């Protein structure tokens, strides 16, 4: 899922200064940055693919600090440009930052601020969002980063509206993406914004990736506690919730266990995890349902009860919203990829019977508040809401010219 905002009028009206060029992309590299994230914008914007119908960008690889720059595996890089090259770019990409706990160089932050003031589009891939936040460019804006680091970003920069569910967020002149491969999604989105669906599709075929992935980061989340939660008083409450997902409880119960009012608990929980408590709780129940569908033979009704949903209908609704598939279709697709032994029974019917655990006292079924910003849904094809059970359809033919998008792809809500 992508988040494409209706940018503020001030941001939307900002124009490039005379010395900057729209087609010039500067990639800002730092020592200690991971090589994969760093290579994504270099490959997307630095290779001439005009023969495939992809308009050419001019790439300026810039060092954000004194070199040589050391990266993954002890490799040393020498960037051909320094911070001065950023002054010519219409787009500046920060592909990653080496540590979410250390501050970026002030000279680089100043260069990013100047670029933004002069109308450049600023892009942060994965932990690059921490650099943009340190420069103050995310204040009051929606943003995302790798789900594992989202709680830290939200806690360290409380004025940033961190959404750990999104693959990328486009807020007009400032864009951020989730981890690793989501950087490809955002770079393709930039090409699509600049040159249209056809150019982005041609580039996607060259990269052998989907033109536009459906869904968000929810399917990749795990039950690990946020990195900095250990010493927080809410840690015990969060741990208790994860261990009792099969029981009846709601957010009021969690607030009571924390000896807080609901309003105080909501505020503290959001600052700690980057999510509203109800949204987080339902996401954890869906994740638990995923695991049971993958590893057990419980019917869908039984899975709903064992994950604390008050009914199978509630499970199906939340499961489809988060993962773009029904529980039964998800299980079928998973087992098609990982065949089970022939003597193991299975229950794949979405309407299978079975005992359902007592319903939890959750008073609100939709964990996601109404969007206040529009989503990027234009140009999506193949909007089937069920996941394909034919693994062969996900082969190389998917990326041939004129083929539809992935089975199960859906529009952003």
């Amino acid at each position: 899922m992508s988040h494409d905002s209706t940018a503020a009028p001030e941001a939307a009206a900002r124009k490039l200064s005379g010395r900057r060029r729209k087609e010039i992309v500067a990639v800002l590299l730092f020592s200690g940055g991971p090589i994969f994230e760093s290579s994504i914008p270099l490959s997307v914007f630095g290779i001439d693919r005009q023969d495939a119908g992809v308009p050419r960008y001019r790439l300026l690889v810039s060092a954000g600090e004194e070199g040589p720059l050391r990266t993954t595996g002890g490799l040393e890089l020498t960037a051909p440009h320094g911070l001065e090259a950023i002054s010519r770019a219409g787009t500046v990409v920060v592909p990653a930052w080496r540590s979410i706990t250390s501050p970026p160089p002030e000279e680089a932050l100043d260069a990013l601020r100047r670029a933004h003031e002069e109308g450049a589009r600023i892009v942060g891939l994965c932990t690059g969002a921490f650099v943009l936040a340190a420069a103050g460019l995310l204040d009051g804006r929606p943003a995302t980063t790798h789900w594992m680091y989202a709680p830290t970003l939200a806690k360290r920069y409380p004025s940033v509206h961190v959404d750990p569910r999104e693959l990328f967020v486009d807020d007009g002149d400032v864009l951020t993406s989730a981890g690793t491969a989501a950087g490809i999604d955002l770079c393709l989105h930039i090409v699509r914004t600049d040159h249209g669906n056809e150019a982005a599709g041609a580039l996607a075929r060259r990269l052998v990736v989907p033109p536009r992935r459906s869904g968000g980061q929810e399917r990749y989340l795990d039950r690990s506690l946020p990195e900095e939660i250990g010493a927080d008083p809410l840690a015990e409450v969060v741990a208790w919730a994860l261990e009792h997902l099969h029981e009846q409880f709601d957010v009021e119960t969690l607030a009571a266990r924390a000896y807080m009012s609901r309003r105080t608990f909501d505020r503290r929980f959001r600052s700690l995890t980057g999510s509203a408590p109800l949204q987080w709780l339902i996401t954890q129940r869906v994740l638990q349902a995923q695991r049971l569908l993958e590893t057990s033979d419980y019917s869908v009704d039984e899975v709903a009860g064992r994950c604390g949903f008050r009914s199978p209908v509630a499970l199906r609704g939340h499961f489809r919203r988060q993962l773009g598939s029904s529980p039964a279709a998800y299980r079928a697709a998973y087992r098609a990829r990982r065949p089970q032994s022939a003597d193991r029974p299975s229950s794949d019917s979405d309407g299978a019977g079975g005992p359902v655990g007592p319903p939890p006292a959750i008073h609100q079924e939709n964990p996601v508040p109404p969007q206040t910003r529009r989503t990027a849904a234009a140009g999506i094809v193949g909007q089937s809401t069920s996941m394909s059970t034919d693994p062969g359809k996900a082969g190389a033919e998917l990326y041939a010219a004129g083929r539809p998008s992935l089975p199960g792809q859906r529009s952003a809500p």
Side-chain angles (χ1 to χ4, degrees):
M1 181 185 300
S2 61
H3 184 159
D4 184 4
S5 79
T6 50
E10 178 184 354
R14 185 181 290 119
K15 295 182 179 180
L16 283 176
S17 67
R19 60 179 175 174
R20 295 184 180 274
R21 295 292 180 267
K22 181 180 180 181
E23 69 276 8
I24 296 179
V25 177
V27 176
L28 189 58
L29 300 181
F30 297 97
S31 188
I35 191 68
F36 186 91
E37 284 85 346
S38 301
S39 70
I40 290 171
L42 303 185
S43 178
V44 170
F45 301 111
I47 297 178
D48 186 355
R49 298 186 177 91
Q50 294 181 86
D51 62 322
V54 182
R56 186 174 185 178
Y57 290 86
R58 182 183 174 192
L59 180 70
L60 301 178
V61 182
S62 308
E65 56 193 343
E66 291 296 323
L69 309 178
R70 292 175 175 81
T71 184
T72 309
L75 296 175
E76 289 191 353
L77 305 177
T78 301
H81 302 283
L83 290 171
E84 73 285 348
I86 293 179
S87 64
R88 291 178 277 160
T91 299
V92 181
V93 182
V94 183
W97 174 236
R98 58 174 166 262
S99 171
I100 62 174
T101 60
S102 61
E106 191 59 37
E107 295 83 359
L109 298 182
D110 286 340
L112 288 172
R113 295 183 189 109
R114 286 195 299 272
H116 182 253
E117 290 171 359
E118 294 177 359
R121 176 173 51 189
I122 311 298
V123 181
L125 307 183
C126 192
T127 53
F130 284 81
V131 180
L132 273 57
L137 301 183
L138 298 182
D139 290 351
R141 292 176 178 264
T144 194
T145 187
H146 192 295
W147 60 263
M148 188 167 61
Y149 304 125
T152 303
L153 182 65
K155 185 174 183 180
R156 186 162 299 156
Y157 301 100
S159 62
V160 180
H161 306 311
V162 181
D163 190 342
R165 299 168 299 170
E166 303 290 356
L167 288 176
F168 64 84
V169 171
D170 179 347
D171 197 43
D173 55 349
V174 178
L175 303 86
T176 51
S177 81
T180 314
I184 301 176
D185 296 306
L186 179 50
C187 288
L188 283 172
H189 171 73
I190 290 172
V191 174
R192 185 181 303 111
T193 300
D194 291 348
H195 302 291
N197 289 329
E198 187 174 345
L203 176 58
R205 289 192 292 274
R206 279 294 183 95
L207 297 177
V208 196
V209 297
R212 191 197 301 259
R213 282 196 292 167
S214 63
Q217 293 192 76
E218 295 98 331
R219 68 190 67 187
Y220 307 110
L221 299 173
D222 65 17
R223 289 179 57 172
S224 302
L225 299 181
E227 182 179 342
E228 298 183 353
I229 198 174
D232 194 279
L234 289 186
E236 183 179 348
V237 175
V238 172
W240 181 89
L242 292 174
E243 292 299 321
H244 294 79
L245 289 174
H246 59 285
E247 297 182 6
Q248 295 186 46
F249 67 87
D250 57 10
V251 178
E252 296 288 351
T253 301
L254 298 180
R257 290 188 68 87
Y259 301 101
M260 297 178 185
S261 68
R262 172 65 186 270
R263 178 177 295 183
T264 300
F265 180 78
D266 283 1
R267 184 177 67 252
R268 289 284 307 280
F269 192 95
R270 186 182 290 274
S271 68
L272 184 66
T273 68
S275 299
L278 184 59
Q279 171 190 311
W280 178 87
L281 178 59
I282 294 181
T283 296
Q284 295 303 320
R285 295 192 191 280
V286 169
L287 293 173
Q288 178 71 354
Q290 272 187 277
R291 282 183 282 274
L292 290 179
L293 291 167
E294 293 170 359
T295 62
S296 78
D297 291 318
Y298 295 129
S299 69
V300 172
D301 288 24
E302 289 174 312
V303 168
R306 290 174 179 271
C307 296
F309 288 102
R310 69 182 183 184
S311 69
V313 173
L315 167 61
R316 293 186 186 100
H318 291 302
F319 201 95
R320 189 181 295 277
R321 274 190 290 273
Q322 291 195 20
L323 300 176
S325 169
S326 71
Y330 178 88
R331 171 178 272 169
Y334 181 85
R335 291 187 174 178
R337 294 191 303 269
R338 295 174 177 266
Q340 304 295 314
S341 59
D343 59 346
R344 182 174 180 179
S346 63
S347 300
D348 290 345
S349 172
D350 221 9
V356 180
I362 294 181
H363 304 300
Q364 181 181 347
E365 282 304 315
N366 188 356
V368 183
Q371 294 289 342
T372 57
R373 299 174 180 271
R374 66 184 173 86
T375 54
I380 295 180
V381 296
Q383 296 178 334
S384 168
T385 56
S386 62
M387 186 175 295
S388 171
T389 59
D390 182 0
K393 291 184 180 179
E397 65 180 25
L398 173 65
Y399 307 104
R403 297 293 294 178
S405 299
L406 281 171
Q409 194 167 42
R410 69 187 192 284
S411 300

